[in-house]
Amino acid sequence: MNKIASFTVDHLRLEPGVYVSRVDQDPVTKCVVTTFDLRLTAPNREPVMDTDAVHAIEHLGATFLRNDPQWSERVVYFGPMGCRTGFYLLLFGEYQAADVADLVRRMFEFIRDFEGEIPGARPADCGNWHDSSLPGAQWWARRYLEQTLYHLDQAHTTYPVA
């Protein structure tokens, strides 16, 4: 069996950042989709995010993206990585990290500053509505902004070479 692309990234040297994971053309629709790796923690060297914070970030991030006037129609998917070190953002079209840096910053500022009830965090709207932490999501958003997104450079937008 072939190793999938995300398992070929050197997770021992990967730092938080915004990376292009891959650019694919769907063989049926011919649509091009860019997958971004929004890495919030240094894998295997920092603690992973708690599931309640991840869940809140997922709801808030998806809400923000689906309502952004410039990007909403290009959003394919936003959701967590199983390892709980970051999120995947899939967009129709071919992009580089610099193309989405402002979008990602604005999304995490939205999460950091959000007040009120988390969208979709009700039993009728979500299959695990009670596993959600706004304070946890805001802590991770603030950390990602201050330690990574406000200082995004090439070292944090280019995967380390093995």
Side-chain angles (χ1 to χ4, degrees):
M1 227 181 267
N2 294 329
K3 192 184 255 193
I4 64 171
S6 61
F7 295 157
T8 65
V9 174
D10 185 350
H11 285 73
L12 297 175
R13 296 177 45 218
L14 186 60
E15 295 292 328
V18 176
Y19 303 93
V20 173
S21 177
R22 64 185 164 274
V23 178
D24 296 311
Q25 183 177 37
D26 180 80
V28 176
T29 65
K30 305 296 183 206
C31 291
V32 174
V33 175
T34 301
T35 301
F36 287 95
D37 170 340
L38 308 181
R39 195 66 63 148
L40 277 71
T41 73
N44 302 307
R45 298 182 310 283
E46 293 182 321
V48 299
M49 295 176 281
D50 294 328
T51 60
D52 57 356
V54 168
H55 196 192
I57 292 170
E58 176 191 17
H59 279 237
L60 290 165
T63 298
F64 173 85
L65 292 165
R66 299 286 183 185
N67 284 280
D68 185 85
Q70 180 186 355
W71 290 92
S72 64
E73 293 185 8
R74 298 184 237 180
V75 176
V76 177
Y77 173 77
F78 173 74
M81 296 175 180
C83 61
R84 294 183 292 144
T85 63
F87 294 83
Y88 288 115
L89 170 60
L90 282 68
L91 299 172
F92 286 116
E94 185 170 348
Y95 305 102
Q96 297 300 314
D99 299 323
V100 299
D102 179 65
L103 174 68
V104 174
R105 272 192 294 272
R106 289 187 297 109
M107 176 174 61
F108 279 90
E109 288 170 343
F110 172 80
I111 294 166
R112 178 197 63 198
D113 300 337
F114 187 82
E115 294 180 5
E117 183 179 316
I118 296 171
R122 291 177 176 229
D125 301 334
C126 178
N128 192 13
W129 66 275
H130 62 280
D131 186 27
S132 190
S133 170
L134 180 57
Q138 291 174 321
W139 187 91
W140 282 105
R142 187 171 20 267
R143 180 182 187 268
Y144 192 41
L145 287 161
E146 292 172 1
Q147 294 184 9
T148 305
L149 296 178
Y150 288 150
H151 314 284
L152 202 57
D153 59 13
Q154 187 171 352
H156 296 92
T157 58
T158 306
Y159 279 136
V161 178

